[in-house]
Amino acid sequence: AKALDAADMEGLRNILEENGFAKIVAHAPYTLNACAADPGLREFARNTMADDLMRLEYLPGNYYNFHPGSHVKQGTKVGIQLISDHLNRVLEHNVNTTILLETMAGKGTEVGRSFEELAAIIEKVELKSKVGVCMDSCHMWDAGYDIVNDLDGVLAEAWPRGGYRTVSWLDPGTAPGEFPLCGHCGLCPIFGIAGEMLPLDGRLADR
């Protein structure tokens, strides 16, 4: 990766502070797989994330979001253990970034398709205060959570399982004026209803 310019990063920090920017959410490369069957791929994921976290120390107090990974026929339990092991190896007490586990749709062998799976990962993380959850509304809908007609029920289900309680960021899956990432028509009910409800829901304020 390109070497960082410390003076440039300081200038960015000043701009962010002077203009009241909200927290920054960096997204890990989609190629990372913390629970890959290949040890070499897991090592690549660890090294890449560790380097990203080092770089984010120049912008302390922000977020780093990542897809938990795919267990590749090793089984969900193995995947959960490998992801938590990964986090325990990259997280240190002096890290000033919160790592976010993104809710997944559950395609193929993806881990993180339910609040239970995310909670199981977090339960095994030693520095739990440095880990949170990113609720991706598109992924949640695809995983079977009815955030359009039963948002209250979804949040109630998430609460006791460590999801809602540790939510740090909400990803509606699309930006204003853009098409949703999962389609091209721009008419999906997720974004017509939940896309407006979720960001404005008071229970998610300041999370």
Side-chain angles (χ1 to χ4, degrees):
K2 181 179 179 180
L4 287 175
D5 184 329
D8 189 47
M9 297 303 294
E10 183 179 1
L12 175 58
R13 284 198 306 273
N14 292 335
I15 291 174
L16 296 176
E17 294 173 3
E18 292 169 3
N19 292 277
F21 274 74
K23 288 183 179 294
I24 291 175
V25 182
H27 200 301
Y30 292 105
T31 53
L32 300 192
N33 187 0
C35 59
D38 184 336
L41 294 178
R42 295 201 301 271
E43 182 180 8
F44 170 76
R46 284 194 302 273
N47 292 340
T48 301
M49 186 174 290
D51 184 67
D52 286 347
L53 291 175
M54 178 276 293
R55 292 166 178 273
L56 281 168
E57 285 300 298
Y58 286 88
L59 298 171
N62 290 296
Y63 298 126
Y64 182 77
N65 184 53
F66 82 110
H67 292 187
S70 297
H71 62 70
V72 199
K73 298 182 180 180
Q74 298 176 96
T76 302
K77 287 186 177 180
V78 172
I80 288 172
Q81 185 63 56
L82 289 173
I83 295 165
S84 60
D85 289 345
H86 167 94
L87 291 171
N88 284 328
R89 293 185 67 173
V90 299
L91 276 171
E92 298 180 359
H93 287 281
N94 60 347
V95 169
N96 292 299
T97 299
T98 299
I99 296 181
L100 305 181
L101 292 144
E102 185 171 327
T103 56
M104 301 308 298
K107 300 298 184 184
T109 63
E110 285 179 343
V111 180
R113 70 185 67 195
S114 68
F115 296 124
E116 289 89 349
E117 290 184 9
L118 293 174
I121 295 169
I122 294 173
E123 181 61 30
K124 296 176 180 292
V125 174
E126 296 171 4
L127 300 177
K128 293 180 177 61
S129 64
K130 298 182 182 295
V131 178
V133 170
C134 168
M135 294 177 69
D136 183 305
S137 60
C138 182
H139 290 165
M140 291 170 66
W141 174 266
D142 208 15
Y145 288 102
D146 191 356
I147 58 175
V148 173
N149 301 302
D150 189 24
L151 178 58
D152 288 343
V154 172
L155 294 181
E157 183 178 352
W159 179 274
R161 292 173 171 79
Y164 170 48
R165 187 162 34 195
T166 57
V167 166
S168 297
W169 183 256
L170 175 68
D171 181 1
T174 187
E178 295 181 359
F179 292 135
L181 297 181
C182 61
H184 302 285
C185 67
L187 300 176
C188 177
I190 306 174
F191 303 100
I193 301 176
E196 297 177 1
M197 291 168 57
L198 281 165
L200 298 177
D201 194 295
R203 287 164 295 184
L204 295 175
D206 301 322
R207 291 281 173 176

